[in-house]
Amino acid sequence: MYLYIVAGLALLVSLAFSREKTIRSVKIAGRRFIRILPAFLLMIVLISIVLYLIPDEVISRYLGSDNKFTAMALASLLGSATFMPGFITFPLAGILAQKGVAYMVIAAFTTTLMMVGVLTAPIERAYFGLKVTIIRNVIGFFIALAVAIMIGLFFGEIWQ
Amino acid sequence: MKRSAILKILLIASYFIFIGVSFLMGFNPGQQIGQNFAVFSVDMLKILPGAFILIGLFEVWVKRETVERHLGEGSGFRGYLWMILLGSTAVGGLYLAFPVAYALYSKGAKLSVIFTYLSAAAICRIPMTIFEASFLGVKFTVIRWLVSLPLVIITSIVLGNYLTRRGYKVEAGE
């Protein structure tokens, strides 16, 4: 909601200084929005299908695997391929942690969820092209793994 | 029209036909997918207009020289710190960071800086971080930041410099 407070205030301030520039900026906003809309539509279509195929219960089950390293690998793949808003992710992660799922497994899931966007690729591609989209996401995947491993080290999970 | 564009339209059309038929025939998986679609469309439509208004205002009011001086070639290390600050105030998901990154780029921000912005918008968002720390502990969050941020800046510089040397350009979105 604070987005609209900020946007509304910014529009008012802009209007106070120049009517002409404000109209121009709204036009630019509309044009940019419409241009990227097809990619957004494709992304929402992908999200709607993937969320059906990979519900929360499946994620909980895979993250709770006995072998921590298998679970971490699965968690990072699931995190890359799905999409979840933060207000669902972290309560879920908190429940998993209480159930005894290793923090490094949770880190692999939440960090790939943040950094790797297979489902947002249609939008990223429209601006950055396929090649850079792939490179950037692969880099993000490895950074997420590095985070998970360091979490494992500091939480004393790796050598257990 | 390009072949790939026609294919995309066909795919999306068949998706909607599938959803429509599912609701008519009471096919449960199709109905659930349709509901997911509705929920996420509403979520996006709540955020997108506000965000694009801000992008439009940025485009008209912010001077190119200002962006170039702080975020362009020769902006130095502070450009990356600006992007971490800006990224931490981002709303929505990564999907909104791309149009913002393009707006910065078209005003003269360099590639390594906008790559840092994209990652910062993914990993530093303040509301998300507060959520994370309250459910997983501050230690978890601090380790994640300390490990990921330096790696993000280093990889952004390497990738940005490589692509700049190759004459790479960001597109205006299809």
Side-chain angles (χ1 to χ4, degrees), chain A residues 4 14 29 35 48 127-128 154, chain B residues 15 46 61 168 171-174:
Chain A
Y4 280 90
S14 170
R35 194 185 284 165
S48 71
Y127 292 105
F128 290 89
F154 279 97
Chain B
Y15 170 86
K46 268 193 237 161
W61 284 104
Y168 168 83
E171 304 292 329
E174 258 170 58

Side-chain angles (χ1 to χ4, degrees), chain B residues 45-102:
Chain B
L45 288 176
K46 268 193 237 161
I47 296 180
L48 292 178
F52 273 86
I53 290 279
L54 286 175
I55 289 174
L57 288 171
F58 169 83
E59 198 72 30
V60 170
W61 284 104
V62 178
K63 286 204 198 78
R64 191 180 171 85
E65 301 83 69
T66 317
V67 176
E68 266 176 2
R69 182 153 27 93
H70 292 285
L71 308 172
E73 302 296 336
S75 60
F77 195 70
R78 253 196 293 174
Y80 302 104
L81 295 182
W82 279 125
M83 289 301 96
I84 290 168
L85 273 178
L86 186 65
S88 62
T89 64
V91 288
L94 200 51
Y95 54 87
L96 256 188
F98 299 118
V100 174
Y102 174 71

Side-chain angles (χ1 to χ4, degrees), chain B residues 1-55:
Chain B
M1 218 190 290
K2 272 192 297 183
R3 240 237 198 86
S4 61
I6 296 173
L7 192 71
K8 224 180 264 175
I9 291 170
L10 279 178
L11 272 174
I12 290 182
S14 48
Y15 170 86
F16 284 115
I17 293 169
F18 167 71
I19 300 295
V21 171
S22 301
F23 273 95
L24 286 176
M25 313 278 284
F27 181 57
N28 193 269
Q31 286 176 328
Q32 280 186 28
I33 291 174
Q35 271 165 13
N36 288 344
F37 180 85
V39 168
F40 272 91
S41 302
V42 171
D43 271 3
M44 302 274 157
L45 288 176
K46 268 193 237 161
I47 296 180
L48 292 178
F52 273 86
I53 290 279
L54 286 175
I55 289 174

Side-chain angles (χ1 to χ4, degrees), chain A residues 46-57:
Chain A
L46 289 177
I47 289 174
S48 71
I49 297 172
V50 168
L51 282 192
Y52 172 74
L53 295 176
I54 315 177
D56 295 359
E57 305 87 70

